[in-house]
Amino acid sequence: MAQLPPGIRFITLFSRDQWYRAFIFTLTFLLYASFHLSRKPISIVKGELHKHCAASHEVELNSYREYAAQIQPVKKPSNVSQCGWEPFDKNNYKQLLGALDYSFLCAYAIGMYLSGIIGERLPIRYYLTVGMLASGLFTAMFGLGYFYNIHNLWFYIMAQIANGLVQTTGWPSVVTCIGNWFGKGRRGLIMGIWNSHTSVGNILGSLIAAYWVSTCWGLSFVVPGVTIAVMGIVCFLFLIEHPKDISCSCTPSSVKIQHLLIDSESGTVSLNSGTAVTAEGRHGTSAISFLGALRIPGVIEFSLCLLFAKLVSYTFLFWLPLYITNVEHLDAKRAGDLSTLFDVGGIFGGILAGLISDRLEKRASTCGMMLLLAAPTLYMFSAVSKMGLEATIVMLLISGALVNGPYALITTAVSADLGTHKSLKGNARALSTVTAIIDGTGSVGAALGPLLAGLISPSGWNNVFYMLMVADACALLFLLRLIQKELRCNADYTL
């Protein structure tokens, strides 16, 4: 009998269920990476929408003529300014660019509260597919302003508002799906690795946008828009919402608390100890109400903590390339490429936060420790980044890890833990609502951060960093009760 080829032997090492779990892990990773890929271009293009007027007008004009000779279908804008793209070429450009961020993030925050409730009542695959196709449309719509020579501020604001609303379909859907497939065993580490899709999406979005930003910034939006729309089609074709949908016997599921064993045929849920409790089917259980989700212990505290943690993270997301442009005097492309290091640090920070929280079994304490370190690190970043490119690179990596670590842990493992809390008594239809409440509250901070940065930055970038340090302190403040509870429980256990 001939020996099996090495590749086939590798495939047979894993069961059918393990392959399905790996597939869903990879697919949801790519789906949400495409969401962040489509959000990132605006931060890269800001440096092109408003340029430093000190540059020679003749050099810019010659550069444009060279590009126009290569790209024939694109007409020469009738309103090319030495300072950028009207209406963002004015002295109040920071406020106008801040308004774009605020439009997207405010719509995202409002829509997120509704999205979780709606998502609990609709099939995830259809809901997510429609959201991704619509997001692709509105992302590309912003870039079409370049090709059609549109200089109306409200056109760009409305594109941002519409995109912010439809992008809320993403996070509750993918977290619910991944929560269905993976239990609590090593959730912190698994979701820490999985949550790196945020940083991977930001990095890819930065690189794609930066590639065209100096020559044809409209493509910096059109290409990511097409990408997320294509991924929406992939979602429709391949996403499996729950293991039971394919009669998968995977033990991890969102209704499993401390290794519940699910009998898919009888519809009963039995504990490892042999105690059985009756459970309605996944589709038979009524979805939790908004107020019911708020009553789950820890939801309010983590939501308010995320409000300030996400304020810091999204201020970096939307303003970091422009800050690097101003401080390091780099062009928009190089500043965009350099800003990806913050997301590289975020990947390691999210994985580290998940690993530590699994080992210590203390989610709040892990977040608190990283928030405590993040505040002085931000002060160091504001001082060290003026000393040269090498120092900026180091601080980008460290700051990215400490800022995004708590943010990643709360939006993934913590949300999944609370969405399968023991107080729910096995109700599997709470995860999307809980996730939306936590991330929706965080998105309020995400809307405020870039807006405040736009208002404060004219008085000096140092003041922006002071604002971020205060925000980190506030995030830590809201976790103190939960940290105290975790430490007290540990002390009682030791005694």
Side-chain angles (χ1 to χ4, degrees), residues 340-342 344-346 348 392-402:
T340 60
L341 294 176
F342 182 83
V344 173
F348 292 105
T392 300
I393 290 173
V394 173
M395 293 309 301
L396 278 172
L397 293 170
I398 297 174
S399 300
L402 294 176

Side-chain angles (χ1 to χ4, degrees), residues 311-323:
L311 183 155
V312 177
S313 181
Y314 267 63
T315 301
F316 274 93
L317 175 68
F318 283 89
W319 284 95
L320 182 58
L322 186 61
Y323 171 77

Side-chain angles (χ1 to χ4, degrees), residues 116-129:
I117 297 173
I118 296 171
E120 294 285 9
R121 293 159 173 80
L122 294 176
I124 287 177
R125 182 165 62 94
Y126 298 141
Y127 187 55
L128 188 55
T129 298

Side-chain angles (χ1 to χ4, degrees), residues 188-189 191-200 203 340-357 366 370 393-394 396-406 408-409:
L189 176 59
M191 286 198 161
I193 297 172
W194 177 75
N195 191 65
S196 63
H197 53 49
T198 299
S199 297
V200 170
I203 292 170
T340 60
L341 294 176
F342 182 83
D343 294 298
V344 173
I347 294 175
F348 292 105
I351 296 173
L352 183 63
L355 184 63
I356 293 174
S357 67
T366 302
M370 298 188 82
I393 290 173
V394 173
L396 278 172
L397 293 170
I398 297 174
S399 300
L402 294 176
V403 167
N404 285 335
L409 186 62

Side-chain angles (χ1 to χ4, degrees), residues 126-144:
Y126 298 141
Y127 187 55
L128 188 55
T129 298
V130 171
M132 296 182 77
L133 291 174
S135 182
L137 171 65
F138 293 121
T139 300
M141 176 180 165
F142 195 103
L144 292 179

Side-chain angles (χ1 to χ4, degrees), residues 187-269:
R187 180 175 279 167
L189 176 59
I190 291 173
M191 286 198 161
I193 297 172
W194 177 75
N195 191 65
S196 63
H197 53 49
T198 299
S199 297
V200 170
N202 289 340
I203 292 170
L204 292 176
S206 297
L207 295 176
I208 291 173
Y211 184 81
W212 282 289
V213 65
S214 299
T215 55
C216 182
W217 64 258
L219 289 177
S220 296
F221 291 92
V222 172
V223 174
V226 171
T227 301
I228 190 173
V230 170
M231 291 305 300
I233 297 173
V234 172
C235 170
F236 176 78
L237 294 175
F238 295 104
L239 184 66
I240 306 169
E241 177 180 343
H242 198 281
K244 291 174 66 176
D245 293 339
I246 53 169
S247 301
C248 184
S249 61
C250 295
T251 53
S253 77
S254 63
V255 299
K256 180 177 72 69
I257 301 174
Q258 296 180 350
H259 309 292
L260 292 177
L261 298 178
I262 299 178
D263 184 348
S264 59
E265 295 182 1
S266 65
T268 62
V269 181

Side-chain angles (χ1 to χ4, degrees), residues 91-429:
N91 290 333
N92 64 337
Y93 72 97
K94 289 183 179 179
Q95 287 83 353
L96 296 179
L97 294 174
L100 291 181
D101 299 338
Y102 186 72
S103 300
F104 175 90
L105 294 168
C106 188
Y108 187 87
I110 294 172
M112 184 60 75
Y113 288 112
L114 300 174
S115 181
I117 297 173
I118 296 171
E120 294 285 9
R121 293 159 173 80
L122 294 176
I124 287 177
R125 182 165 62 94
Y126 298 141
Y127 187 55
L128 188 55
T129 298
V130 171
M132 296 182 77
L133 291 174
S135 182
L137 171 65
F138 293 121
T139 300
M141 176 180 165
F142 195 103
L144 292 179
Y146 175 87
F147 296 102
Y148 288 96
N149 198 23
I150 298 174
H151 299 279
N152 189 315
L153 177 64
W154 283 103
F155 171 83
Y156 299 103
I157 288 180
M158 292 307 299
Q160 289 288 83
I161 290 174
N163 200 14
L165 288 173
V166 298
Q167 287 234 342
T168 61
T169 59
W171 190 241
S173 299
V174 294
V175 171
T176 299
C177 188
I178 202 74
N180 289 340
W181 283 87
F182 292 90
K184 287 188 176 181
R186 301 179 68 186
R187 180 175 279 167
L189 176 59
I190 291 173
M191 286 198 161
I193 297 172
W194 177 75
N195 191 65
S196 63
H197 53 49
T198 299
S199 297
V200 170
N202 289 340
I203 292 170
L204 292 176
S206 297
L207 295 176
I208 291 173
Y211 184 81
W212 282 289
V213 65
S214 299
T215 55
C216 182
W217 64 258
L219 289 177
S220 296
F221 291 92
V222 172
V223 174
V226 171
T227 301
I228 190 173
V230 170
M231 291 305 300
I233 297 173
V234 172
C235 170
F236 176 78
L237 294 175
F238 295 104
L239 184 66
I240 306 169
E241 177 180 343
H242 198 281
K244 291 174 66 176
D245 293 339
I246 53 169
S247 301
C248 184
S249 61
C250 295
T251 53
S253 77
S254 63
V255 299
K256 180 177 72 69
I257 301 174
Q258 296 180 350
H259 309 292
L260 292 177
L261 298 178
I262 299 178
D263 184 348
S264 59
E265 295 182 1
S266 65
T268 62
V269 181
S270 58
L271 293 168
N272 284 347
S273 61
T275 306
V277 291
T278 303
E280 298 180 71
R282 177 169 57 93
H283 300 289
T285 308
S286 60
I288 194 172
S289 67
F290 185 87
L291 292 178
L294 284 178
R295 285 195 288 267
I296 298 174
V299 167
I300 293 177
E301 289 91 339
F302 276 113
S303 296
L304 294 174
C305 172
L306 186 62
L307 187 152
F308 291 99
K310 201 166 181 178
L311 183 155
V312 177
S313 181
Y314 267 63
T315 301
F316 274 93
L317 175 68
F318 283 89
W319 284 95
L320 182 58
L322 186 61
Y323 171 77
I324 294 174
T325 299
N326 291 346
V327 173
E328 299 293 341
H329 305 292
L330 301 176
D331 59 32
K333 183 182 186 306
R334 292 186 63 195
D337 292 342
L338 188 60
S339 70
T340 60
L341 294 176
F342 182 83
D343 294 298
V344 173
I347 294 175
F348 292 105
I351 296 173
L352 183 63
L355 184 63
I356 293 174
S357 67
D358 278 346
R359 183 66 59 87
L360 300 179
E361 296 183 352
K362 294 178 177 63
R363 307 287 197 213
S365 300
T366 302
C367 291
M369 177 179 61
M370 298 188 82
L371 288 168
L372 187 63
L373 294 173
T377 301
L378 291 177
Y379 177 80
M380 292 175 60
F381 181 85
S382 66
V384 172
S385 60
K386 298 180 179 64
M387 298 180 181
L389 193 59
E390 294 78 9
T392 300
I393 290 173
V394 173
M395 293 309 301
L396 278 172
L397 293 170
I398 297 174
S399 300
L402 294 176
V403 167
N404 285 335
Y407 164 40
L409 186 62
I410 294 172
T411 54
T412 54
V414 170
S415 295
D417 288 348
L418 295 176
T420 56
H421 194 270
K422 61 183 179 182
S423 64
L424 295 171
K425 299 178 181 179
N427 185 350
R429 300 187 64 188

